[in-house]
Amino acid sequence: MDLMGMINLNESEEYLQELTQHRPLAAIPFGGRYRLLDFVLSNMVNSGITNVGILFQHKYRSLIDHLRSAKEWDLARKRDGLVILPPAYSNFSRPVVHGGDVENFYSNLDYVRYSRQPYVVIAGSAAICNLDYRPVLEYHLGQEADVTAVYTTENCSRTNCRGAVTLNVDNDGKVMDMQVNPGSFGRQKLSMGMFIMKRELLVELIEDCMAHGGYDFVKHCLIRNLEKLRVFGFAHSGYSARIYSLDSYFRHSMELLQPAVWQELFFHAGLIYTKIKDEPPCKYTETAKVSNSLIANGCLIEGTVENSVLFRAVHVDRNVHIKDSIIMQKSQVDKGAVLEHVICDKNVHITAGCRLRGVVNYPMVIKKGMVV
């Protein structure tokens, strides 16, 4: 495979602070047993990529624990495999000025420079999809492009395109303009934060960007050079979810309860891999009532669960009613509790008789380890 992968974890967490206080965005649990990072990493592995570098930013202890040797992704290899790329502040002897992703690329440029693959795909963890990068590379080569940006078309409202990068693409697929968070409405072409280019071009862009005081990869490496480079857009027509806020996280988690979405996201172009944990199957007692829900293994269900996502080893006691909610790993809900539009982070304990109710566009979040 002529493609190497770089996963850039310098991502905005501004509107997800309830879930990112102790973890980066890439480590947020999703879909009952996965982390957001699993999707981009699995996409790369399923595309035949065997050399993947992850650019860490901060709060990455949980990701180190999740990845371990990377054997679940078949990246525990003698040659290539998974490479942990530390943040710039741990590599530079001088203080990091801006804290942008360009400094992270620059401090790990030797890894890029000495890799064997001629092309590189750069992607983040905020865009969830099941995508094979090989057709994107073929498109890139066919267009003789310098850079190919993967995009999806969405109907923007005031909130669901917040912070997005929009593309203006002509009839030949050439990107004529890129804007960061322009506040546009209607149908827009949104960048999925995935770019393919020659490895050597990436080195040139990063070195030039640092020399001219740039610190943001999209703004200062790509948009500033848009007139010099042949940048093309590749349209992804399948399911995609952009996780940028609590609302978007909750909404896209609930979409997994639609069988068509589940099938496409987890099986379309390849399987999604994650850290393996040995848990027994879920146990349902005679009093359990479950409808339209994702229940991970290791759970004990004695109450009622509807339209909800339960992660591993959750205990739902008798006379509990959970509706339209997300309950993360090893949480416990005691007898008589009622939850609706609630997100419980890991190891939460909801005591007997407690009633918690959020709303669809603003779910209530119970932080990790809390007792309510």
Side-chain angles (χ1 to χ4, degrees), residues 283 285 287-289 300-304 315-319:
K283 181 178 180 181
T285 66
T287 57
K289 295 179 181 177
L300 172 58
I301 310 296
E302 300 180 90
T304 301
H315 179 200
V316 178
D317 210 340
R318 292 188 178 196
N319 298 320

Side-chain angles (χ1 to χ4, degrees), residues 13-260:
E13 301 165 4
E14 182 179 0
Y15 302 109
L16 275 157
Q17 292 183 2
E18 293 91 338
L19 297 177
T20 57
Q21 185 176 358
H22 301 291
R23 59 166 80 95
L25 186 142
I28 292 179
F30 187 79
R33 68 181 63 195
Y34 302 88
R35 306 269 184 159
L36 295 186
L37 178 69
D38 292 335
F39 294 87
V40 60
L41 192 54
S42 298
N43 286 342
M44 289 185 176
V45 170
N46 291 335
S47 302
I49 297 173
T50 57
N51 181 18
V52 179
I54 301 182
L55 283 162
F56 283 86
Q57 179 66 12
H58 55 84
K59 299 180 290 186
Y60 48 84
R61 185 204 56 79
S62 58
L63 283 181
I64 296 289
D65 174 66
H66 182 69
L67 293 167
R68 297 184 294 187
S69 66
K71 66 177 183 180
E72 281 88 350
W73 296 269
D74 195 23
L75 289 175
R77 295 166 177 260
K78 290 182 178 178
R79 194 174 190 186
D80 292 335
L82 185 74
V83 180
I84 303 298
L85 303 174
Y89 58 77
S90 67
N91 285 341
F92 288 165
S93 56
R94 57 179 172 77
V96 174
V97 179
H98 300 290
D101 50 0
V102 170
E103 289 166 319
N104 276 2
F105 277 106
Y106 186 76
S107 69
N108 293 286
L109 215 49
D110 280 351
Y111 163 69
V112 182
R113 190 177 283 117
Y114 296 120
S115 288
R116 298 177 296 122
Q117 295 78 11
Y119 295 93
V120 56
V121 55
I122 301 164
S125 68
I128 295 175
C129 63
N130 195 329
L131 174 66
D132 188 338
Y133 290 113
R134 286 172 289 200
V136 187
L137 179 60
E138 289 176 10
Y139 176 83
H140 176 81
L141 297 174
Q143 295 287 359
E144 298 181 349
D146 293 319
V147 179
T148 294
V150 182
Y151 69 86
T152 183
T153 303
E154 289 190 20
N155 192 7
C156 291
S157 66
R158 182 177 292 276
T159 56
N160 67 14
C161 292
R162 180 193 297 158
V165 175
T166 61
L167 306 182
N168 182 6
V169 181
D170 70 10
N171 292 333
D172 297 324
K174 192 171 188 302
V175 176
M176 307 305 292
D177 193 18
M178 295 175 69
Q179 297 182 45
V180 178
N181 198 17
S184 304
F185 293 94
R187 290 188 68 78
Q188 299 290 330
K189 294 179 173 61
L190 303 184
S191 168
M192 296 174 67
M194 303 171 184
F195 306 96
I196 285 184
M197 64 186 74
K198 278 190 173 178
R199 178 172 52 81
E200 295 164 349
L201 176 61
L202 175 62
V203 174
E204 290 175 16
L205 288 174
I206 295 299
E207 289 181 333
D208 182 72
C209 199
M210 282 293 288
H212 290 86
Y215 55 87
D216 187 283
F217 180 72
V218 172
K219 292 178 183 175
H220 303 137
C221 291
L222 297 182
I223 296 180
R224 272 186 187 174
N225 292 299
L226 204 53
E227 294 184 356
K228 300 177 186 175
L229 300 171
R230 283 174 57 81
V231 181
F232 279 77
F234 178 91
H236 172 64
S237 57
Y239 176 82
S240 67
R242 193 171 65 90
I243 308 297
Y244 63 93
S245 67
L246 205 56
D247 168 46
S248 65
Y249 172 77
F250 185 77
R251 175 160 41 87
H252 291 305
S253 294
M254 292 295 109
E255 285 177 352
L256 297 179
L257 302 179
Q258 302 172 32

Side-chain angles (χ1 to χ4, degrees), residues 35 277 279 311-314 327-331 344-348:
R35 306 269 184 159
K277 292 186 178 179
E279 298 273 5
F311 286 68
R312 292 172 169 128
V314 170
I327 314 296
M328 294 187 191
Q329 190 172 329
K330 294 184 178 177
S331 291
C344 290
D345 207 330
K346 294 170 66 174
N347 298 308
V348 163

Side-chain angles (χ1 to χ4, degrees), residues 6 107 121 149 164 307 349:
M6 291 197 74
S107 69
V121 55
N307 302 325
H349 183 184

Side-chain angles (χ1 to χ4, degrees), residues 319-339:
N319 298 320
V320 167
H321 192 165
I322 297 175
K323 181 180 180 184
D324 301 326
S325 295
I326 299 168
I327 314 296
M328 294 187 191
Q329 190 172 329
K330 294 184 178 177
S331 291
Q332 178 174 335
V333 186
D334 285 350
K335 190 177 296 183
V338 177
L339 308 182

